[in-house]
Amino acid sequence: LAKTTQPISMDSYEGQEVNITCSHNNIATNDYITWYQQFPSQGPRFIIQGYKTKVTNEVASLFIPADRKSSTLSLPRVSLSDTAVYYCLVGDPSGGSYIPTFGRGTSLIVHP
Amino acid sequence: EAGVAQSPRYKIIEKRQSVAFWCNPISGHATLYWYQQILGQGPKLLIQFQNNGVVDDSQLPKDRFSAERLKGVDSTLKIQPAKLEDSAVYLCASSLDNRQGLETQYFGPGTRLLVL
């Protein structure tokens, strides 16, 4: 089971780009990288998922280097409403032993 | 599309009492998850169902926690008897099918449990 390491907290200001890096040194060949966002008093919400290189959707981008030992979630031009906890998950959801493991996540605070 | 429904939203009980939580996943979602989230921590998976079968329950404290998913739709999580350390938010999530190597879990609002 690939363990992930993220910064505990980050601060930013409105309009800036925020990059949150997740380390997963023992990622397996079939593992995907998934990011979730959680607001207070709500359940986590899926943001983005990728396997290699770069993935982009309407909310964020996910950059994965060739060795896949880390990944970076990029949030363009953050607003106050992006203040939340961000979780990085690594695993093969189709694997029989897959256990979604959230960790403590990164608490992002966006300041005016 | 209706989301994952959970009830109750809040529950306060005394230690050694019993409590049950209910979850209705998104229609058609084969996989259902129950998580425990203690304040300041990430969600911890308790049990995962694929239709009405258990895929993983290795982190479920089976001496006091039980869960079932009859007919592969709704699910119930029970704690009997409750301990002070069970105070947490219990989250239910569902996904369409995780067997294709992709995962998008949809979470419910959670049930906040306080054990006194």
Side-chain angles (χ1 to χ4, degrees):
Chain A
L1 187 66
K3 181 179 178 180
T4 60
T5 303
Q6 303 175 235
I8 294 175
S9 63
M10 294 182 68
D11 287 87
S12 184
Y13 292 89
E14 283 190 293
Q16 290 189 335
E17 178 185 73
V18 172
N19 296 309
I20 305 174
T21 297
C22 178
S23 297
H24 28 81
N25 291 319
N26 59 339
I27 188 170
T29 302
N30 295 330
D31 286 349
Y32 283 76
I33 301 156
T34 311
W35 286 81
Y36 285 82
Q37 173 192 55
Q38 186 176 27
F39 298 113
S41 300
Q42 294 186 25
R45 183 182 72 160
F46 173 88
I47 300 177
I48 198 166
Q49 181 179 66
Y51 182 80
K52 60 180 180 180
T53 62
K54 176 183 176 181
V55 179
T56 297
N57 60 23
E58 64 278 5
V59 177
S61 294
L62 179 60
F63 298 93
I64 306 169
D67 66 5
R68 303 198 330 120
K69 293 183 182 301
S70 67
S71 59
T72 298
L73 174 72
S74 181
L75 305 172
R77 299 179 297 281
V78 294
S79 63
L80 297 177
S81 63
D82 292 315
T83 294
V85 179
Y86 294 82
Y87 297 97
C88 165
L89 278 72
V90 172
D92 175 11
S94 66
S97 61
Y98 177 62
I99 300 176
T101 303
F102 278 79
R104 289 182 175 269
T106 297
S107 177
L108 171 66
I109 298 176
V110 180
H111 302 277
Chain B
E1 177 180 81
V4 176
Q6 289 188 247
S7 68
R9 292 296 310 276
Y10 305 92
K11 190 74 177 179
I12 301 175
I13 61 173
E14 294 186 349
K15 60 182 180 182
R16 291 189 289 274
Q17 285 187 326
S18 302
V19 64
F21 312 127
W22 173 81
C23 173
N24 185 18
I26 294 174
S27 177
H29 280 197
T31 309
L32 185 146
Y33 313 79
W34 281 103
Y35 291 87
Q36 178 193 59
Q37 186 170 25
I38 294 173
L39 187 65
Q41 300 182 19
K44 182 182 87 170
L45 181 70
L46 294 176
I47 188 167
Q48 177 179 344
F49 293 95
Q50 183 76 21
N51 294 308
N52 61 349
V54 176
V55 174
D56 186 271
D57 62 358
S58 59
Q59 301 186 104
L60 185 74
K62 299 181 185 61
D63 58 333
R64 299 184 299 108
F65 286 64
S66 65
E68 60 182 10
R69 191 184 184 197
L70 301 177
K71 301 180 182 178
V73 182
D74 292 8
S75 178
T76 302
L77 176 69
K78 297 179 181 178
I79 308 175
Q80 181 180 10
K83 292 185 175 181
L84 297 178
E85 58 261 36
D86 297 332
S87 294
V89 175
Y90 291 85
L91 295 162
C92 178
S94 68
S95 63
L96 187 60
D97 191 331
N98 67 355
R99 290 176 294 178
Q100 281 74 44
L102 298 177
E103 172 194 289
T104 301
Q105 294 184 53
Y106 296 86
F107 283 80
T111 296
R112 188 174 300 274
L113 173 68
L114 179 60
V115 182
L116 302 175

